[in-house]
Amino acid sequence: MKRKRCGVCPGCLAPECGTCRYCLDMKKRGGSGTLRRPCEMRGCVATSSGEAREPGPRRAKKPSSARSSGGAALHAAGTSAAQRALLAGLG
């Protein structure tokens, strides 16, 4: 789960330094944007101490398609009609 910044601590409110590797990688400063991290000087105090915002409601994980549909395994790619019939007779 991605941590959210509090937005009110001194780290969140500090300006970007423009010289650290994360600032230099930002697209607005001519970098490639591959690191996708905030400035090293803008570390959120709340997320490092575990006092971040309360998490929202958790979403239930979706079951994988093979487990959720009973007959999906019988129709897998590469299974011939004869093999499916044999497997259906065993189940």
Side-chain angles (χ1 to χ4, degrees):
M1 183 173 168
K2 187 175 180 179
R3 293 182 183 192
K4 294 188 179 184
R5 300 167 63 91
C6 69
V8 295
C9 70
C12 288
L13 299 176
E16 295 173 344
C17 70
T19 58
C20 69
R21 66 181 186 166
Y22 301 121
C23 282
L24 294 175
D25 183 63
M26 292 180 185
K27 288 193 172 208
K28 65 182 176 182
R29 292 196 173 84
S32 62
T34 56
L35 296 178
R36 300 178 59 102
R37 301 283 300 161
C39 173
E40 289 178 349
M41 303 303 290
R42 297 192 67 216
C44 180
V45 177
T47 57
S48 63
S49 65
E51 298 174 7
R53 298 180 194 169
E54 290 187 27
R58 299 193 82 171
R59 296 188 306 186
K61 290 185 177 180
K62 293 180 181 178
S64 76
S65 60
R67 283 185 248 148
S68 64
S69 59
L74 298 177
H75 299 287
T79 307
S80 69
Q83 289 172 333
R84 287 194 300 268
L86 179 64
L87 289 172
L90 294 175

